[in-house]
Amino acid sequence: MHAHVVLTSGDLSPDSLRGQSAVVIDVFRASTTIVTALANGCRLVIPVLTAEAARGRANDFPRGEVLLGGERGGEPIAGFHLGNSPLEYTPERVRDRIVIFTTTNGTQALAAASMAAATAVGGLVNLEAVAAWVMAEGRDLTLVCSGESGTLSLEDTVCAGLLLEALTDRGARLELSDAARACRLVAVDYRHQLGRLLTDSAWARELVRRGRGPDLAPCLALSVYPDVPVLEHGVVTRSAGEQPR
Amino acid sequence: MHAHVVLTSGDLSPDSLRGQSAVVIDVFRASTTIVTALANGCRLVIPVLTAEAARGRANDFPRGEVLLGGERGGEPIAGFHLGNSPLEYTPERVRDRIVIFTTTNGTQALAAASMAAATAVGGLVNLEAVAAWVMAEGRDLTLVCSGESGTLSLEDTVCAGLLLEALTDRGARLELSDAARACRLVAVDYRHQLGRLLTDSAWARELVRRGRGPDLAPCLALSVYPDVPVLEHGVVTRSAGEQPR
């Protein structure tokens, strides 16, 4: 299995994903929030690129069935029901609901990755489940990290490296691209001390500065959800292999 | 000193370099070739973006004084005197000459980095000299890796990480960006076994496949030259602090 990592989604040429499995990674926070929402009973997440598109799309559904969620520049969007904190996506708020979701980097990365043969959403919180999904799909793999303004995010790099390690542990024979190899080496250093990302990651420090520190620890909880969100026909649902709990 | 690494020159926003020191890194092979040429007595290297521009620029100089060098897609350019192998840039060929130079990635990276307050060319071959230059300049630092088609090159990533380590060894107090931190972690793994890059780097494997294997070992020789090529007013010469030998 050939494995590559795109370190910042702006570098993705969508055509390169044809016939591959893609996993979109945005640890702080979009990936974690989407996984959490589906794990907590949300029916589906509809990623859209703009706040305007989110409001427009909401009109397709009965009021009360749909919630608007997301952020711009890390801040909640005026008039939206939910921000981009995984802590907000509780069973009480999201069970049986549809979430229309837009974030600065995460939903752009999802749109870019939709050209793949199969596209999932991965974070540290569902790492082992995603590894199982990649093995079951069996295709060559591209991990699409959201990154930040044209540069890599340390937490996404570490997540990508740990996912590659999990695949090796499951017996995958990986041919690593240079970027994939670099991610594995970075992950080795953080494997047993993910908490260091709270201070080492520039975006983590920025979120703490803005009072969003409580969001971060839940994003670093390793393999706490069995859910693999998959993107098909523009909507994100649980992988067919998984049953709602 | 704030230190950042741009992992592929396509991600560089030149405005971000204002007021900074920049070091352009293309280990296989443009950086190494430029350092080698100047170390072997070449008067100056004029980087240009296209083969056409190189031929045009040659008309500004007396015939016999000027050589055309470079590559496209890793291959020599028809009608040029020299390719992009450091082995070609011997004292016999380049002493007291001017080299007009164009490569697929390296000279693009140099052009992009020319907005910095001071711009140097770095490779493994002049790592310690570049570290000394960065310390003497004293500004915030951006390392601009050429990379390959929108993704990182392992050898440039390792070179960037080792350069950051050399700065720390010289007493620099670095505030590392996420990308800079990742480079340091990747470099740790290669520090004492640079030869592994011959097999781990995708571009090294490709150059070997094309019969360019002999070019690679000279690119991995650590700190063998005291020369720091600096870009000023569109030409690359030895740093003012260094005397021709």
Side-chain angles (χ1 to χ4, degrees), chain A residues 4-5 7-8 10-11 149-155 157 176-179 181-183 185-186 189-190 196 199-203 205, chain B residues 4-5 7-8 10-11 149-155 157 176-179 181-183 185-186 189-190 196 199-203 205:
Chain A
H4 178 48
V5 181
L7 292 166
T8 171
D11 285 342
S149 311
T151 184
L152 65 77
S153 288
L154 199 56
E155 62 278 10
T157 305
L176 300 174
S177 72
D178 281 18
R181 208 176 282 273
C183 287
L185 293 172
V186 174
D189 204 69
Y190 285 94
R196 272 177 46 216
T199 45
D200 286 356
S201 152
W203 183 231
R205 293 195 302 271
Chain B
H4 178 50
V5 181
L7 292 165
T8 171
D11 286 341
S149 310
T151 184
L152 66 77
S153 288
L154 199 56
E155 62 278 10
T157 304
L176 300 174
S177 73
D178 281 18
R181 209 176 281 275
C183 287
L185 292 172
V186 174
D189 204 69
Y190 285 94
R196 273 176 46 217
T199 46
D200 287 355
S201 152
W203 183 231
R205 293 194 302 272

Side-chain angles (χ1 to χ4, degrees), chain B residues 12-34:
Chain B
L12 180 64
S13 57
D15 273 344
S16 69
L17 297 181
R18 284 185 196 281
Q20 302 206 355
S21 298
V23 179
V24 174
I25 297 172
D26 185 4
V27 170
F28 294 147
R29 300 167 287 171
S31 288
T32 306
T33 298
I34 291 171

Side-chain angles (χ1 to χ4, degrees), chain B:
Chain B
M1 183 186 291
H2 187 268
H4 178 50
V5 181
V6 175
L7 292 165
T8 171
S9 57
D11 286 341
L12 180 64
S13 57
D15 273 344
S16 69
L17 297 181
R18 284 185 196 281
Q20 302 206 355
S21 298
V23 179
V24 174
I25 297 172
D26 185 4
V27 170
F28 294 147
R29 300 167 287 171
S31 288
T32 306
T33 298
I34 291 171
V35 175
T36 304
L38 291 175
N40 284 339
C42 168
R43 273 168 55 204
L44 49 94
V45 174
I46 303 179
V48 296
L49 293 177
T50 67
E52 270 318 290
R55 293 188 189 96
R57 194 71 196 271
N59 295 326
D60 298 345
F61 300 93
R63 191 188 292 261
E65 194 171 318
V66 71
L67 297 167
L68 297 177
E71 51 79 14
R72 271 300 168 278
E75 298 299 322
I77 300 170
F80 273 40
H81 306 91
L82 299 161
N84 187 26
S85 164
L87 299 174
E88 297 175 74
Y89 290 71
T90 59
E92 294 67 33
R93 293 304 301 276
V94 302
R95 183 174 293 133
D96 299 327
R97 301 292 185 88
I98 292 162
V99 174
I100 302 177
F101 192 66
T102 183
T103 70
T104 311
N105 296 314
T107 53
Q108 322 283 329
L110 265 174
S114 62
M115 294 283 275
T119 306
V121 176
L124 293 165
V125 291
N126 66 342
L127 193 93
E128 288 295 337
V130 171
W133 176 86
V134 170
M135 295 298 282
E137 295 286 331
R139 297 183 191 83
D140 286 346
L141 175 67
T142 296
L143 305 178
V144 181
C145 297
S146 295
E148 187 62 35
S149 310
T151 184
L152 66 77
S153 288
L154 199 56
E155 62 278 10
D156 294 345
T157 304
V158 168
C159 183
L162 291 177
L163 181 52
L164 296 171
E165 194 171 82
L167 291 170
T168 303
D169 290 347
R170 286 167 182 266
R173 292 172 60 99
L174 301 180
E175 298 158 41
L176 300 174
S177 73
D178 281 18
R181 209 176 281 275
C183 287
R184 282 200 53 165
L185 292 172
V186 174
V188 164
D189 204 69
Y190 285 94
R191 189 168 31 189
H192 300 301
Q193 30 189 343
L194 290 171
R196 273 176 46 217
L197 290 169
L198 298 172
T199 46
D200 287 355
S201 152
W203 183 231
R205 293 194 302 272
E206 176 62 18
L207 286 168
V208 167
R209 200 186 62 75
R210 297 188 195 180
R212 310 262 165 214
D215 291 355
L216 300 181
C219 298
L220 300 180
L222 199 56
S223 297
V224 292
Y225 294 123
D227 305 274
V228 179
V230 293
L231 175 69
E232 276 181 311
H233 312 301
V235 305
V236 177
T237 54
R238 278 196 196 79
S239 162
E242 308 275 338
Q243 294 303 313
R245 290 172 301 174

Side-chain angles (χ1 to χ4, degrees), chain A residues 166-196:
Chain A
L167 291 169
T168 303
D169 290 348
R170 286 166 182 267
R173 291 173 60 99
L174 301 179
E175 298 159 42
L176 300 174
S177 72
D178 281 18
R181 208 176 282 273
C183 287
R184 282 200 54 164
L185 293 172
V186 174
V188 165
D189 204 69
Y190 285 94
R191 189 167 33 188
H192 300 301
Q193 31 189 345
L194 290 171
R196 272 177 46 216

Side-chain angles (χ1 to χ4, degrees), chain A residues 46-200:
Chain A
I46 304 178
V48 296
L49 292 179
T50 65
E52 270 318 290
R55 294 190 188 95
R57 193 70 195 272
N59 295 325
D60 298 347
F61 300 94
R63 190 188 292 259
E65 194 170 319
V66 71
L67 297 167
L68 297 177
E71 51 79 12
R72 273 299 169 278
E75 299 299 322
I77 300 170
F80 273 40
H81 305 91
L82 298 162
N84 187 27
S85 164
L87 300 175
E88 298 177 73
Y89 291 71
T90 59
E92 294 69 31
R93 293 303 302 275
V94 303
R95 183 174 292 133
D96 299 327
R97 302 290 187 87
I98 292 163
V99 174
I100 303 176
F101 192 66
T102 183
T103 69
T104 312
N105 296 315
T107 54
Q108 321 283 330
L110 265 173
S114 63
M115 293 284 275
T119 306
V121 176
L124 292 166
V125 290
N126 68 341
L127 193 94
E128 287 296 335
V130 171
W133 177 85
V134 170
M135 293 300 282
E137 294 287 330
R139 297 184 191 84
D140 285 345
L141 175 66
T142 297
L143 306 178
V144 181
C145 297
S146 294
E148 186 62 34
S149 311
T151 184
L152 65 77
S153 288
L154 199 56
E155 62 278 10
D156 294 346
T157 305
V158 168
C159 182
L162 291 177
L163 182 52
L164 295 171
E165 194 172 80
L167 291 169
T168 303
D169 290 348
R170 286 166 182 267
R173 291 173 60 99
L174 301 179
E175 298 159 42
L176 300 174
S177 72
D178 281 18
R181 208 176 282 273
C183 287
R184 282 200 54 164
L185 293 172
V186 174
V188 165
D189 204 69
Y190 285 94
R191 189 167 33 188
H192 300 301
Q193 31 189 345
L194 290 171
R196 272 177 46 216
L197 290 169
L198 298 173
T199 45
D200 286 356

